[in-house]
Amino acid sequence: MIIKGEILSKSFKGNGYIVIKDGLIKSVGREKPKGSVDIDAEDKLVIPGLIDMHAHFREPGYEHRETIETGSKAAAHGGVTTVVLMPNTNPALDNLETIKYVKKRAEEIGLVDVLIAGAITKGRKGKELTNFKKLAEYVVGFSDDGTTPQSFKIFLEAAKLAKSVNKPILDHAEIEELSGGSMREGNFSRLYGISGIPDVAESIAVARDVEVARYTAAHIHIQHLSTKASVEIVREGKKRGIPVSAEVTHHHLIFKDEDLKDRSPFKKVNPPLPREEDQEELIKGLLDGTIEVIASDHAPYSLEEKSVDIEKAPFGISGIETLLSSLILISKRHEIPFEVLLEKVTCNPAKLLNLPLKGDIKPGYKADIVILDPDKEWRVTEKSLFSKGKNTPFLGKRLPGVVEMTLKEGKILYRGD
Ligand SMILES: [Zn+2]
């Protein structure tokens, strides 16, 4: 198979041809290879398939919100070819049986690559550690996402175990005693009369994580950073040579606390939407490399669950289908080159999670490829989303960047009309 188009990847930039054989990229070059072009993507961008290292597909346990099948279809529609699923299913992904079930289901569906973050503690209750040794072979890291062990002792022990099996801790940094509330505490929470979550609920946990990473030398990846203080703590930790990495979601780069004027439960997310100064620091962190990854934190809910007052609604935004379009929006709004943002959803997560042959368009790599028309727009509607979760603040809005085709290992997973 030969694809022609404007290639944008870490290893190759510009107009060229990609030759695919047996699911792998055979060659990439400017000269036309022998044979006819199968996919002519002239005037379109040809990019590596996205790696979304933070998503929730809800199965088993909450299939009314999403299933591995609907989540996989949503991913393919969003140009995502690899996802890392968080363990807050029911039962939790804290045991081999459930983890194997999810992996088997994903293989039967045969769309995107589904990778697993195994739970740190049994039932994600923060009390008893899971069997890291036994699970290590089947997971890319360990997380209690939705929460984190509140006990310093348990968390420290988890980091030591993670280090011993050579896997990262993917941490949802939050001190629950300090949390509670429905949006970021600040002038706008007071103005709107919505209960606030202070920024220290996150930054104290981030400081803990950095210190635990220093002491144990374990790689701790901090999920969904959302405050200025958190970015500064991670930046300082990196300067000191501590093995920490960090991610931000696309919605924390687009929406702010101010936007909660309408009290929309669709904008209720944990961590909460940032204040202006937080968002500015998140952007700085992206540019100076403090934050290596952008993820969706895809958190689908049924409309019934979300259609209640903001103080009662569950946290989360359905985001895997708006991730790539958001990168174009962020690139324009904050004047960041698109290719800088693209690295944060392709080669950077591949490197952090040690996923060989993914995240780049390069000979020998897997032919996970997306054809994107950056000039076209699409409307986010209940119908246009493949996910069961329609809970996105983009609902009804037009977004730039249409995924025309998603290929995984040379096989077409999704094709637009
Ligand atoms: Zn989380």
Side-chain angles (χ1 to χ4, degrees):
M1 179 191 273
I2 300 175
I3 301 175
K4 176 192 174 193
E6 192 189 334
I7 301 163
L8 185 60
S9 69
K10 193 169 188 234
S11 300
F12 193 97
K13 292 174 181 73
N15 284 308
Y17 298 84
I18 304 168
V19 181
I20 297 169
K21 206 176 167 224
D22 302 326
L24 298 177
I25 294 167
K26 202 174 155 219
S27 68
V28 189
R30 293 184 206 283
E31 302 259 305
K32 189 183 176 301
K34 263 193 212 149
S36 57
V37 170
D38 301 280
I39 299 171
D40 187 347
E42 186 145 16
D43 303 324
K44 282 163 200 158
L45 284 180
V46 182
I47 60 174
L50 270 55
I51 301 169
D52 184 358
M53 70 180 274
H54 192 149
H56 304 269
F57 282 0
R58 306 301 196 195
E59 184 181 346
Y62 307 99
E63 288 84 354
H64 63 290
R65 295 176 185 160
E66 192 81 291
T67 63
I68 297 163
E69 185 172 9
T70 56
S72 297
K73 284 180 180 166
H77 175 230
V80 173
T81 51
T82 303
V83 290
V84 179
L85 297 186
M86 292 302 128
N88 57 341
T89 48
N90 188 18
L93 303 179
D94 60 1
N95 66 87
L96 266 195
E97 197 190 340
T98 316
I99 290 172
K100 280 183 176 168
Y101 164 78
V102 171
K103 289 193 85 87
K104 190 170 151 268
R105 255 324 271 148
E107 270 162 36
E108 284 164 4
I109 292 156
L111 289 169
V112 300
D113 270 350
V114 168
L115 307 174
I116 305 285
I120 296 173
T121 60
K122 289 187 182 159
R124 300 169 42 259
K125 291 191 165 74
K127 303 275 185 236
E128 204 184 329
L129 290 163
T130 56
N131 191 332
F132 277 45
K133 253 204 183 105
K134 207 163 129 194
L135 303 188
E137 197 187 322
Y138 300 88
V139 303
V140 292
F142 291 89
S143 177
D144 268 357
D145 186 44
T147 181
T148 183
Q150 300 295 298
S151 151
F152 288 105
K153 199 175 165 190
I154 298 255
F155 190 74
L156 188 65
E157 205 48 47
K160 285 182 189 164
L161 281 172
K163 171 77 183 161
S164 76
V165 296
N166 201 23
K167 298 279 174 187
I169 294 273
L170 314 171
D171 196 40
H172 168 114
E174 182 181 6
I175 303 293
E176 287 181 346
E177 255 187 299
L178 302 176
S179 211
S182 297
M183 69 177 283
R184 172 66 68 226
E185 180 187 85
N187 290 338
F188 289 105
S189 71
R190 287 184 283 272
L191 184 66
Y192 303 155
I194 298 173
S195 59
I197 303 171
D199 66 359
V200 284
E202 175 178 300
S203 56
I204 292 176
V206 171
R208 171 197 74 171
D209 289 9
V210 173
E211 272 302 274
V212 169
R214 178 189 63 80
Y215 180 73
T216 59
H219 171 199
I220 299 183
H221 172 81
I222 302 159
Q223 301 179 297
H224 43 51
L225 283 197
S226 77
T227 81
K228 183 171 192 273
S230 301
V231 178
E232 287 167 343
I233 293 165
V234 172
R235 182 182 292 126
E236 206 42 47
K238 286 188 163 182
K239 266 190 210 152
R240 294 163 63 204
I242 296 167
V244 282
S245 57
E247 99 196 2
V248 63
T249 76
H250 61 287
H251 45 259
H252 285 94
L253 299 168
I254 291 179
F255 300 102
K256 286 184 285 217
D257 59 349
E258 191 184 343
D259 299 321
L260 275 152
K261 193 174 181 189
D262 60 4
R263 302 178 66 93
S264 169
F266 286 8
K267 293 178 202 148
K268 181 176 177 182
V269 65
N270 192 21
L273 296 176
R275 294 161 298 190
E276 174 95 38
E277 65 263 36
D278 297 315
Q279 196 174 72
E280 276 170 14
E281 197 63 35
L282 291 167
I283 298 288
K284 260 195 228 161
L286 276 178
L287 286 169
D288 70 12
T290 302
I291 301 171
E292 297 96 331
V293 171
I294 302 176
S296 74
D297 193 2
H298 178 66
Y301 280 96
S302 71
L303 284 177
E304 290 71 32
E305 287 169 300
K306 269 289 199 181
S307 301
V308 291
D309 185 74
I310 185 161
E311 300 280 14
K312 296 214 171 85
F315 291 103
I317 292 175
S318 178
I320 208 162
E321 290 170 86
T322 52
L323 173 61
L324 185 49
S325 288
S326 292
L327 298 187
I328 298 175
L329 215 57
I330 295 159
S331 161
K332 285 181 184 156
R333 205 178 278 182
H334 299 288
E335 291 175 0
I336 306 174
F338 180 65
E339 60 185 87
V340 170
L341 298 171
L342 196 60
E343 288 188 357
K344 311 220 180 245
V345 289
T346 55
C347 50
N348 288 3
K351 194 175 159 204
L352 287 181
L353 295 173
N354 197 16
L355 309 175
L357 312 181
K358 277 181 187 275
D360 200 357
I361 296 180
K362 193 176 174 178
Y365 270 52
K366 295 200 169 145
D368 296 354
I369 288 167
V370 170
I371 294 168
L372 173 73
D373 189 335
D375 302 319
K376 254 198 204 158
E377 289 191 340
W378 63 292
R379 216 167 108 87
V380 183
T381 63
E382 283 186 38
K383 231 180 131 187
S384 66
L385 293 173
F386 285 68
S387 169
K388 282 192 184 183
K390 315 297 179 186
N391 52 304
T392 160
F394 289 117
L395 205 65
K397 300 221 160 68
R398 295 187 73 79
L399 285 178
V402 170
V403 172
E404 305 245 306
M405 202 181 281
T406 305
L407 296 103
K408 199 196 75 175
E409 293 177 42
K411 192 182 119 193
I412 298 171
L413 304 185
Y414 167 79
R415 188 200 289 260
D417 23 65

